[in-house]
Amino acid sequence: METMADAYGLSRVVGATGFFPQRAGRLDPSLPCRESELVVEVESLNIDAASFEQIAREAGGDDARISEQVVSIVRERGKMHNPKTGSGGIFIGGVKELGPRHPAHGKLRVGDRIASLVSLTLTPLVIEEIRAVHRDTHRVDVRGHAILFASGSYATLPEDLSDAVALAALDVCGAPALVERHVRPGMTVAVLGAGKGGALCLAQARRGLGDTGRLLAIDLHGGALAELQEHHLCDVALKLDATRAVEVQEHVLRATRGSLCDLVVNCVSVQDTEMATILCARDGGTAIFFSMATSFTSASLGADGVSRDVTLLMGNGYVPGHAELTLGLLRKDAGLRQLFERRYG
């Protein structure tokens, strides 16, 4: 009989007992498939932005050295779990084998193509070959296999979107889904980061605001902000360094006529942006952190240190219906889809 430990993949943890796969130092990714598991022939990894950028910097931007580091991490840990950032990503691939007690048994068939919606930090993985590195989109094309546990969510790849676009969007689909819960008409909303997560959060915030409220986008890269403005994804674009918290606050104060923001969403993939997020929120407002570069300690103690009454939320990658909501944004918002196809397609 299947146990909860089987459903969560605890039996794949190597060298420790009681650890969940995400916290484990190493996983066992070996075959055969177990009764409550799903084995996927992996085609591409979408590596978390903070993780990929750290690896790329250390590799000097060289594709061969990036590949070597990714392979080294996976070989050593049995999963793509960057020890320096603590983050992973997601994968896409084709179903290779279904255990008889996996929840997808009878729903998926061998050959169906899916995207994982759980982090690579808890996904047993073997890489046999890296075929290509796409630095601009943080994607790595590979040959290998991964194992999904019974508790792990996934999405069937859509036929009306390219794999690259779907992979990019699904990698951050928890972000717009949580924004949907918190945006209300009339709010002033700021999103830090103009990447894929930021663009999706802006698009969802726009749907929640309708013709009301105000939508601010903040990023260091003027080109990315110009794209957001071109596709009407924000009302105000501010070219700012989010590590310079007081400077960011001053510009947001001017843009909001001193009222600051009801909701601030952090999708920045660099460290030390917690205080800019907090200082942009009004007293009684909310700050949501989706970046894997976020320090909970810095955010919590930082808000305390400046006496800000701001509700701090750490984004959960899982929100019921998050994949459907995100893919629906791409289908309904022509500008958002054009942006994704230009950047990631």
Side-chain angles (χ1 to χ4, degrees):
M1 181 178 177
E2 179 185 304
T3 66
M4 292 308 296
D6 294 326
Y8 296 138
L10 272 63
S11 63
R12 288 285 181 176
V13 173
V14 175
T17 57
F19 276 24
F20 278 75
Q22 195 279 329
R23 284 205 55 207
R26 177 173 173 76
L27 301 180
D28 172 15
S30 65
L31 299 177
C33 177
R34 300 177 186 177
E35 286 195 339
S36 58
E37 294 177 343
L38 167 62
V39 178
V40 180
E41 189 171 348
V42 178
E43 301 166 10
S44 296
L45 309 177
N46 202 101
I47 297 177
D48 171 75
S51 175
F52 191 96
E53 293 296 338
Q54 182 276 320
I55 291 169
R57 284 194 301 271
E58 196 166 293
D62 181 75
D63 288 354
R65 291 177 61 194
I66 291 172
S67 297
E68 289 171 5
Q69 290 202 41
V70 171
V71 168
S72 176
I73 290 170
V74 174
R75 183 184 299 120
E76 180 178 342
R77 307 202 67 178
K79 55 180 177 172
M80 182 54 218
H81 188 172
N82 188 330
K84 296 186 177 178
T85 64
S87 52
I90 66 169
F91 70 77
I92 61 170
V95 174
K96 186 176 182 180
E97 188 174 357
L98 273 160
R101 293 185 178 175
H102 190 279
H105 190 79
K107 300 176 183 177
L108 290 177
R109 296 177 297 178
V110 171
D112 285 349
R113 301 182 68 251
I114 64 171
S116 64
L117 298 179
V118 290
S119 175
L120 291 172
T121 63
L122 56 85
T123 304
L125 176 67
V126 169
I127 294 179
E128 298 172 11
E129 176 190 8
I130 291 189
R131 293 172 166 167
V133 174
H134 305 274
R135 276 176 287 165
D136 290 344
T137 59
H138 306 147
R139 192 176 88 244
V140 180
D141 297 333
V142 304
R143 181 170 60 87
H145 75 259
I147 295 168
L148 287 181
F149 307 127
S151 57
S153 56
Y154 64 89
T156 302
L157 286 171
E159 296 182 357
D160 59 331
L161 298 169
S162 72
D163 287 352
V165 167
L167 181 61
L170 291 171
D171 184 33
V172 291
C173 63
L178 190 54
V179 166
E180 190 269 342
R181 287 185 176 179
H182 291 276
V183 169
R184 297 292 180 269
M187 279 186 166
T188 298
V189 179
V191 176
L192 279 67
K196 57 194 175 187
L200 286 164
C201 287
L202 287 164
Q204 181 56 50
R206 176 70 79 198
R207 292 183 67 81
L209 293 174
D211 295 327
T212 71
R214 195 162 174 80
L215 194 52
L216 286 67
I218 300 170
D219 198 278
L220 185 57
H221 302 288
L225 290 170
E227 281 189 300
L228 296 178
Q229 289 182 302
E230 176 188 350
H231 296 297
H232 309 290
L233 290 170
C234 64
D235 298 312
V236 178
L238 299 175
K239 184 177 182 297
L240 298 167
D241 181 348
T243 66
R244 301 174 66 89
V246 174
E247 181 180 335
V248 173
Q249 183 192 37
E250 289 172 347
H251 280 80
V252 171
L253 276 167
R254 287 197 289 271
T256 61
R257 299 179 181 178
S259 63
L260 293 175
C261 301
D262 302 289
L263 175 67
V264 185
V265 185
N266 186 321
C267 297
V268 181
S269 60
V270 297
Q271 296 178 331
D272 301 322
T273 63
E274 295 85 0
M275 288 309 299
T277 308
I278 291 163
L279 290 178
C280 287
R282 64 170 176 81
D283 278 334
T286 299
I288 304 178
F289 295 90
F290 283 106
S291 169
M292 289 296 101
T294 298
S295 162
F296 170 79
T297 303
S298 295
S300 178
L301 297 182
D304 177 36
V306 294
S307 301
R308 296 303 282 245
D309 176 22
V310 177
T311 299
L312 306 181
L313 299 177
M314 297 298 157
N316 182 351
Y318 175 72
V319 178
H322 57 345
E324 294 83 358
L325 180 145
T326 298
L327 296 177
L329 284 174
L330 289 169
R331 291 176 177 127
K332 295 170 186 174
D333 190 322
L336 178 69
R337 181 165 180 164
Q338 288 170 17
L339 183 147
F340 263 73
E341 288 175 343
R342 181 187 305 168
R343 287 183 181 179
Y344 310 111

